[in-house]
Amino acid sequence: MKRLLAGAVALAVAATAATAWAQSYDRRVQIVNATSETMMYFYASTVDAPTWEEDILGDSVLPAGNAVVMNIDDGSGYCRYDFRAVFADGTEAIQAGVNVCEVATFTFHE
């Protein structure tokens, strides 16, 4: 019984440490618009989210050839996000599974 209890405590400590470790990452990512169109909307949702989160650009846009640093941290502790950009001409670009804990810059190309 003592061995089982010690194992459960060790597992709980490891899970807590892993959560704290993941939450300590910097989730700011420079988003680069290397297309010829203005980016009108940008979404970043955790990989298991059933829908897209709110538009991170809000009332702003990201003109062609420009970049902006965005804080992707939604408080969930996740590192992997799906990105979606919608451009002025109506086209969309989606990239699944971006690890924002490891990527400092992400570029949308034509």
Side-chain angles (χ1 to χ4, degrees):
M1 183 67 169
K2 286 182 181 178
R3 183 180 288 170
L4 183 60
L5 182 58
V9 169
L11 185 59
V13 168
T16 301
T19 300
W21 178 65
Q23 290 185 2
S24 69
Y25 280 110
D26 181 357
R27 291 173 177 80
R28 289 177 295 192
V29 178
Q30 180 182 39
I31 303 299
V32 179
N33 181 1
T35 73
S36 59
E37 294 290 329
T38 296
M39 184 185 298
M40 305 302 291
Y41 307 100
F42 177 78
Y43 306 90
S45 298
T46 57
V47 293
D48 62 352
T51 61
W52 292 105
E53 300 296 327
E54 71 275 353
D55 169 31
I56 297 175
L57 286 173
D59 292 333
S60 300
V61 297
L62 183 57
N66 286 281
V68 64
V69 175
M70 295 186 183
N71 186 0
I72 308 299
D73 193 350
D74 64 359
S76 68
Y78 279 78
C79 286
R80 296 203 176 270
Y81 286 77
D82 297 335
F83 287 174
R84 176 181 172 217
V86 180
F87 298 92
D89 65 355
T91 60
E92 292 186 1
I94 296 175
Q95 179 63 50
V98 178
N99 188 334
V100 300
C101 295
E102 295 178 356
V103 172
T105 301
F106 184 86
T107 303
F108 284 96
H109 297 279
E110 305 242 22

